Amino acid sequence: MPYQPNRVYRKESITVAFMVEQLQKAVGLPVERVNQVDDTLRLVVESELNRPGLVLAGYTELFTYQRVQILGNTENRYLRHLPPEQRRRAFQNLLQFPIPCIFLTDNNELDPELVQMATEAGVPVYRTPVPSTRFMALLRDFLNDQFAPQMTVHGSLVDVYGIGLLLIGKPGIGKSEVALDLVERGHRLVADDVVIVTRKEETVLMGTGTDLVRHFMEVRGLGLIDVRAMFGVRAIRFQKRIEVVVKMELWDPEEEYTRLGMVEDTYRLLDVELPMVKVPITPGKNITVLCEVIAMNHLLRHYGYDPAEVFAQRLSERIRQKASSVPLRGTEYFEQDYE
């Protein structure tokens, strides 16, 4: 499906095979296969997990079987304390539902007979030495990422002084050129032209490029540029949190632009309000330097210093003092350092 800007996407499912592979490679969790079952046929459809203790005990009315099932110390000790026949019946309570898979945490093991029952039912079983609480936290974070809402945005994402600036604007306005200039000045490119935005948490948006384009840039008049090959690995990032939106637009004399910064504009992405700065494009204006100042100003605010607020306090104090309308010098005495 072609990329459609501003359309929200969300994965409906992932295979158990993909999940296990990513847990091993991307997350770094040690996961061992217990039985030989085709795990490409089993699907995971949500990020929540389940520990089926009540199901093993016989209560199946509210069983969320569509979730990944975790058998920790409690569940495994319960099974081990049962007589063989009751143990099989308890485990069958679990296998009668189309569950995606079973994870045995903290190096727990199932009886070979129970493993065989799972194999016959087509249910993959895995084992990990990681304790249940830690394993579930990591697995839930991975699944939250997989099923998080995402969308494609036409723009450029650059890491400037550690702040993720999303440059947006009409096609041809110069987003790629500004991003390239920022890279040349030592900043890091995340994505150009197509930025895939994912909402990791309620107020956290992460951005990355596509698997096809990665760190290639299209600059009108030059064509394609491989930023990594030209500037080195220090000039790129694979992901970055989006913190400020920089909207580039042609100068419009009828438009009201921020001058004192007393009122902040916002830009809504995936139901998250991000601070936005409108930058009017006029001949001779250095947009790259403005982007650096926007990033540094955001850093100042993050650490508790707001220039607009400081100026407003100073102005209020001057009004309260009822000072003369004649502007005062910022320096009371010029020392003899004429240059």
Side-chain angles (χ1 to χ4, degrees), residues 14-21 23 31-35 37-46 48-52 63-71 91 94-95 97-104 110 118-119 121-127 135 139 143:
I14 61 174
T15 66
V16 171
F18 172 78
M19 177 184 67
V20 172
E21 179 185 11
L23 287 178
V31 177
E32 175 189 354
R33 181 189 292 269
V34 176
N35 60 348
V37 175
D38 188 357
D39 50 10
T40 62
L41 302 178
R42 294 280 170 161
L43 299 179
V44 180
V45 297
E46 63 174 84
E48 293 300 323
L49 310 175
N50 187 61
R51 297 188 66 171
F63 180 34
T64 50
Y65 60 86
Q66 72 278 9
R67 298 176 180 175
V68 174
Q69 305 299 314
I70 309 295
L71 299 185
F91 199 60
L94 183 61
L95 296 179
F97 295 91
I99 60 178
C101 63
I102 297 174
F103 279 99
L104 305 171
L110 286 178
T119 303
V123 177
V125 180
Y126 304 94
R127 179 170 54 240
F135 178 78
L139 177 55
L143 293 177

Side-chain angles (χ1 to χ4, degrees), residues 130-148:
V130 183
S132 300
T133 303
R134 175 64 175 164
F135 178 78
M136 293 177 68
L138 293 172
L139 177 55
R140 187 179 289 112
D141 183 70
F142 170 77
L143 293 177
N144 281 334
D145 176 72
Q146 292 299 305
F147 295 112

Side-chain angles (χ1 to χ4, degrees), residues 50-92:
N50 187 61
R51 297 188 66 171
L54 288 176
V55 175
L56 296 175
Y59 182 76
T60 61
E61 185 175 346
L62 298 178
F63 180 34
T64 50
Y65 60 86
Q66 72 278 9
R67 298 176 180 175
V68 174
Q69 305 299 314
I70 309 295
L71 299 185
N73 291 329
T74 303
E75 293 80 8
N76 281 279
R77 289 181 183 179
Y78 172 75
L79 287 172
R80 283 196 296 269
H81 102 282
L82 295 174
E85 183 59 33
Q86 292 185 28
R87 186 184 307 137
R88 288 190 293 270
R89 286 201 301 267
F91 199 60
Q92 185 59 39

Side-chain angles (χ1 to χ4, degrees), residues 52-254:
L54 288 176
V55 175
L56 296 175
Y59 182 76
T60 61
E61 185 175 346
L62 298 178
F63 180 34
T64 50
Y65 60 86
Q66 72 278 9
R67 298 176 180 175
V68 174
Q69 305 299 314
I70 309 295
L71 299 185
N73 291 329
T74 303
E75 293 80 8
N76 281 279
R77 289 181 183 179
Y78 172 75
L79 287 172
R80 283 196 296 269
H81 102 282
L82 295 174
E85 183 59 33
Q86 292 185 28
R87 186 184 307 137
R88 288 190 293 270
R89 286 201 301 267
F91 199 60
Q92 185 59 39
N93 290 336
L94 183 61
L95 296 179
Q96 65 178 316
F97 295 91
I99 60 178
C101 63
I102 297 174
F103 279 99
L104 305 171
T105 59
D106 213 4
N107 267 335
N108 281 285
E109 296 184 4
L110 286 178
D111 290 343
E113 186 178 17
L114 301 185
V115 174
Q116 182 60 32
M117 290 175 61
T119 303
E120 293 174 356
V123 177
V125 180
Y126 304 94
R127 179 170 54 240
T128 178
V130 183
S132 300
T133 303
R134 175 64 175 164
F135 178 78
M136 293 177 68
L138 293 172
L139 177 55
R140 187 179 289 112
D141 183 70
F142 170 77
L143 293 177
N144 281 334
D145 176 72
Q146 292 299 305
F147 295 112
Q150 55 184 299
M151 66 185 300
T152 57
V153 176
H154 179 67
S156 299
L157 180 58
V158 187
D159 178 352
V160 181
Y161 298 127
I163 302 298
L165 296 187
L166 178 62
L167 311 179
I168 63 173
K170 293 182 178 180
I173 200 167
K175 299 182 294 296
S176 296
E177 288 80 358
V178 172
L180 182 61
D181 198 11
L182 286 168
V183 170
E184 199 277 333
R185 291 171 66 92
H187 304 292
R188 305 170 73 182
L189 176 71
V190 183
D192 182 62
D193 192 35
V194 177
V195 181
I196 299 181
V197 182
T198 302
R199 190 179 70 202
K200 282 284 291 183
E201 299 175 15
E202 289 301 318
T203 59
V204 176
L205 298 181
M206 298 297 296
T208 186
T210 66
D211 58 349
L212 176 62
V213 177
R214 286 296 176 96
H215 297 106
F216 284 88
M217 299 182 67
E218 179 189 359
V219 179
R220 285 174 172 80
L222 295 180
L224 286 176
I225 295 175
D226 187 342
V227 173
R228 180 173 182 174
M230 184 175 295
F231 295 96
V233 71
R234 292 181 298 176
I236 63 170
R237 287 195 64 161
F238 287 96
Q239 63 180 33
K240 184 70 183 80
R241 179 177 177 178
I242 302 173
E243 294 165 275
V244 181
V245 176
V246 179
K247 186 177 182 181
M248 299 169 54
E249 55 185 37
L250 296 176
W251 171 266
D252 183 358
E254 303 297 327

